Amino acid sequence: MQKQDNNAALRNLSALVDFSNLVNSSLDLNFALNNILLTCFGKFHTTKGLIALTNENGFFELKTSKGISSKIVDAFPEVNVSDVEENDVLNHFLKENNLIIKQTIQSSGGITGLLVLGSRLTGKPYEKEDLDFLNTVLNVGITAIENSLIVEKLKKVNRNLDSKVNQLSSLFDLGKEFSGILNVETVGKLLVYSLIGQMLVSKYAVVTCSNNEISILENRFEEKGLRNYLKECSTSIFTKPIQSSELIEKHKPLFELGIELIVPMQIKNETKGLILLGKRNNNLEYSKSDIEFVSSVGSLAVISIENARLFQETLEKQRLEKDLETARNIQQNLLPKKITQLSNIEIAAYNSSARMVGGDYYDIVKLDEDNLLMAVADVSGKGVPASLLMANLQAFLKSICKQQLALSDATNLLNDLVAENTTLGSFITFFWGVFNNRNKEFTYVNAGHNPPLYVKNGRINKLKKGGMILGVLPTTVPYISETIQLEKDDVIVFFTDGITEAMNKNFEEYTDERLEEMIEKIYIDCASDILNKIKLSVEEFTLGADQSDDITCLVIKVK
């Protein structure tokens, strides 16, 4: 009897040695698990069994089975490792399928797995010696299992590393590609191609947002639904990646379009666009690494999109500046290139626009040998609109001068022409006068303009006679002219409100009073010196502040 026991022990030991050599000869997990099951089948004469291993979440995950139908395999319950002994669902599953042996696979780290075996073909129960042998097999096999699991993890890590290396290489190449593109549509296509290749998607959309306006660069979803939802839902609410579970909860219309991932494209934490991706062709979920890659590509793309937009704005600005420079040259040509001088007066004039082009205007027109017309105007507003109205005024004035009308009648006609050609809210303050060189008379009409300062014997008078500003209404009340007799050393200073309303850095105005005080001190000088001193005074007053309005000044002095 003792000899038989010794022989059995030797056979078991030999079997265990052979099993150990076999199971540790490979680092393949399935090889190790299958050999554990086959060893048990051979020893215990059973034909069905399974092995489940503990997953990352602490639940048993079925890894291999033999002699069990796929239907039963699919019905294997979800069991927590800590509940393996008393789990009613598991015990019912085992009893129902005649699986009578349930043995945990232990390692130094705790429960690593679970082995289940069916009844023996001989009908005999499993005895204590059988269970001891089974434990020994599992103790030997656990080393192979753990080594195989480590190898599986290393393979997974290597796959992830390879994927990361490929993604980083792609990002590096894409960074160089994006940096050289200054066309938004091309950026969108490159972004889409990179995502199709890496994420294996066939449904996608790329959306940009600028000044609260949505622009769809690329789209393979139903566009009407996408555009309607994003129109109602500001892209600013998308501040982090959103996957399908959150989409169902918060943005169901987008999920119903087939969108499973939304990644915002941001610059300095401000969402400038969205990448929307559908289901992957390989049916895999988007991993954390995938989302990081999409986000990185999106960051490269949105910077390139922003650069393209800024580049286009710069080009447009340059074109506009070129057009404005041309307009400025044209406008300057509308002003007198050379000031006509008569024997009995000195004339000096100055014009400066607050912008590239302006709405201030002055003109000096020789009507005949004895009469010289001088005009100053200020069109409402500044910039291009004012300059266009000023050009119209100049054309009207030149035309009317040739008709040899009385100054008051000419003003009536001028107002009617301006009123016909201005939009609501536009108007012109205007002053003009004719100097007769033979008798030194000055006839003028003031159409709502700042009254020129007429200096006679050191006293200032204001030339106010005329009527309403030009362009508000057609002439209903005729304009009135006035004629004054000028004498030697009399001075008249024409100006626009760009002088009196010029502001310093403390937002204080130059004022009419300051101008009048200045002229009372300098009226004895020649016309050009008077003009230069007015300019200097205004410049000193506004030092450090931007020019706020167009400035025009014209000075005449009687000889």
Side-chain angles (χ1 to χ4, degrees):
M1 185 72 178
Q2 186 176 1
K3 186 175 180 181
Q4 288 179 350
D5 292 341
N6 290 337
N7 289 337
L10 287 172
R11 285 196 300 273
N12 287 343
L13 180 60
S14 176
L16 288 172
V17 170
D18 292 341
F19 168 71
S20 177
N21 291 333
L22 177 64
V23 80
N24 287 294
S25 66
S26 173
L27 292 174
D28 181 74
L29 181 62
N30 288 327
F31 179 84
L33 297 178
N34 287 330
N35 274 286
I36 290 173
L37 275 182
L38 291 173
T39 298
C40 292
F41 285 4
K43 175 65 180 175
F44 304 126
H45 303 105
T46 183
T47 58
K48 59 181 179 179
L50 62 85
I51 297 177
L53 298 182
T54 307
N55 63 21
E56 295 175 350
N57 299 318
F59 288 86
F60 287 118
E61 182 179 333
L62 200 151
K63 290 294 185 180
T64 188
S65 66
K66 291 189 179 300
I68 300 174
S69 67
S70 58
K71 183 179 179 180
I72 296 174
V73 168
D74 293 338
F76 185 78
E78 188 177 62
V79 180
N80 192 288
V81 173
S82 61
D83 192 32
V84 63
E85 295 299 336
E86 300 178 0
N87 190 290
D88 294 336
V89 177
L90 176 62
N91 292 331
H92 177 75
F93 171 81
L94 298 178
K95 184 177 180 180
E96 186 180 38
N97 295 292
N98 196 26
L99 298 168
I100 61 176
I101 292 295
K102 176 181 69 175
Q103 183 66 45
T104 57
I105 304 172
Q106 301 279 349
S107 69
S108 58
I111 298 176
T112 301
L114 177 70
L115 180 139
V116 174
L117 295 174
S119 60
R120 306 173 74 169
L121 294 175
T122 59
K124 293 182 179 181
Y126 286 89
E127 299 178 354
K128 182 178 182 301
E129 291 80 2
D130 297 326
L131 298 179
D132 289 342
F133 182 83
L134 177 60
N135 279 328
T136 304
V137 168
L138 294 179
N139 289 335
V140 172
I142 188 61
T143 302
I145 291 173
E146 287 185 325
N147 289 339
S148 298
L149 288 173
I150 289 171
V151 170
E152 287 290 319
K153 289 180 179 178
L154 287 174
K155 286 180 179 178
K156 185 177 180 180
V157 169
N158 284 334
R159 285 194 297 270
N160 289 337
L161 285 174
D162 288 342
S163 176
K164 282 289 185 184
V165 169
N166 289 333
Q167 289 180 357
L168 287 172
S169 177
S170 297
L171 287 173
F172 180 74
D173 293 337
L174 287 169
K176 292 190 293 184
E177 290 288 338
F178 280 127
S179 64
I181 299 174
L182 291 173
N183 180 276
V184 174
E185 288 73 21
T186 307
V187 172
K189 291 188 182 302
L190 179 59
L191 172 59
V192 163
Y193 293 151
S194 64
L195 294 176
I196 290 174
Q198 287 287 339
M199 297 295 108
L200 301 175
V201 292
S202 56
K203 298 191 75 175
Y204 51 81
V206 178
V207 178
T208 61
C209 179
S210 179
N211 299 323
N212 293 323
E213 287 194 8
I214 297 295
S215 176
I216 299 178
L217 297 184
E218 296 286 336
N219 181 39
R220 289 294 182 273
F221 297 108
E222 196 270 305
E223 184 164 337
K224 185 178 179 181
L226 178 63
R227 191 178 291 276
N228 287 342
Y229 186 79
L230 292 179
K231 186 185 295 182
E232 298 173 2
C233 183
S234 171
T235 55
S236 61
I237 70 170
F238 299 100
T239 57
K240 61 182 181 62
I242 299 176
Q243 291 183 269
S244 54
S245 57
E246 189 174 348
L247 278 169
I248 295 171
E249 181 182 347
K250 296 182 179 179
H251 308 286
K252 194 172 182 180
L254 293 180
F255 180 78
E256 290 173 348
L257 289 175
I259 297 169
E260 294 202 355
L261 177 65
I262 298 177
V263 177
M265 297 187 289
Q266 296 181 314
I267 296 177
K268 294 181 179 179
N269 295 322
E270 182 182 354
T271 300
K272 297 286 188 178
L274 299 173
I275 297 172
L276 305 99
L277 300 179
K279 190 174 182 179
R280 302 179 71 176
N281 295 336
N282 54 14
N283 293 322
L284 294 178
E285 296 288 329
Y286 289 100
S287 66
K288 182 180 178 181
S289 177
D290 294 331
I291 295 172
E292 288 175 351
F293 175 78
V294 175
S295 182
S296 297
V297 175
S299 296
L300 292 173
V302 75
I303 291 173
S304 187
I305 289 170
E306 193 69 9
N307 288 341
R309 184 184 65 79
L310 293 174
F311 178 70
Q312 291 300 321
E313 286 183 358
T314 300
L315 289 180
E316 187 61 33
K317 184 179 178 182
Q318 288 176 348
R319 283 193 291 266
L320 181 59
E321 287 176 348
K322 186 176 180 180
D323 290 344
L324 285 174
E325 184 62 34
T326 302
R328 179 183 178 86
N329 292 334
I330 292 171
Q331 188 178 47
Q332 289 298 316
N333 288 332
L334 297 178
L335 300 175
K337 296 183 180 62
K338 183 179 179 182
I339 295 176
T340 303
Q341 301 288 348
L342 297 179
S343 59
N344 288 322
I345 57 170
E346 299 172 0
I347 305 174
Y350 171 75
N351 172 266
S352 174
S353 298
R355 300 181 184 174
M356 290 286 286
V357 289
D360 273 15
Y361 168 66
Y362 79 92
D363 212 341
I364 300 170
V365 181
K366 190 173 183 180
L367 301 177
D368 53 41
E369 291 301 319
D370 291 323
N371 293 292
L372 187 67
L373 181 139
M374 290 161 281
V376 173
D378 185 0
V379 177
S380 61
K382 291 181 283 293
V384 174
S387 68
L388 292 173
L389 189 50
M390 184 273 270
N392 273 346
L393 175 65
Q394 192 258 8
F396 296 151
L397 185 145
K398 295 287 188 183
S399 177
I400 291 171
C401 284
K402 296 178 180 179
Q403 299 183 32
Q404 298 181 348
L405 298 172
L407 197 61
S408 57
D409 294 335
T411 310
N412 294 336
L413 176 58
L414 182 61
N415 177 62
D416 290 339
L417 291 171
V418 172
E420 288 177 10
N421 291 275
T422 55
T423 56
L424 185 65
S426 296
F427 59 87
I428 302 171
T429 66
F430 182 74
F431 180 96
W432 61 352
V434 176
F435 176 75
N436 184 279
N437 190 53
R438 181 174 299 178
N439 53 30
K440 297 184 180 180
E441 288 180 346
F442 184 70
T443 302
Y444 73 90
V445 173
N446 189 335
H449 192 73
N450 302 76
L453 303 179
Y454 167 40
V455 186
K456 190 176 188 67
N457 299 323
R459 293 182 59 188
I460 294 179
N461 301 287
K462 296 183 179 181
L463 306 182
K464 299 180 179 179
K465 287 289 180 69
M468 66 177 183
I469 55 180
L470 302 182
V472 177
L473 293 169
T475 304
T476 53
V477 179
Y479 288 85
I480 301 171
S481 64
E482 181 181 35
T483 300
I484 56 175
Q485 182 64 53
L486 300 180
E487 297 178 354
K488 185 176 182 301
D489 294 330
D490 287 354
V491 173
I492 301 178
V493 179
F494 307 68
F495 63 94
T496 59
D497 58 11
I499 290 179
T500 55
E501 294 179 5
M503 284 200 277
N504 62 18
K505 58 185 179 182
N506 296 321
F507 301 101
E508 298 168 335
E509 291 187 350
Y510 187 81
T511 72
D512 291 273
E513 292 77 17
R514 190 185 299 269
L515 177 61
E516 291 171 22
E517 289 175 8
M518 180 73 181
I519 291 172
E520 286 175 345
K521 296 176 183 176
I522 63 173
Y523 76 92
I524 59 174
D525 295 338
C526 66
S528 59
D529 286 348
I530 293 172
L531 177 63
N532 289 332
K533 288 179 180 179
I534 292 172
K535 284 169 51 183
L536 182 61
S537 176
V538 173
E539 289 170 359
E540 289 176 347
F541 180 80
T542 59
L543 187 65
D546 292 332
Q547 183 179 333
S548 58
D549 199 358
D550 304 328
I551 292 175
T552 298
C553 186
L554 189 149
V555 179
I556 64 172
K557 184 166 186 177
V558 182
K559 295 181 182 179

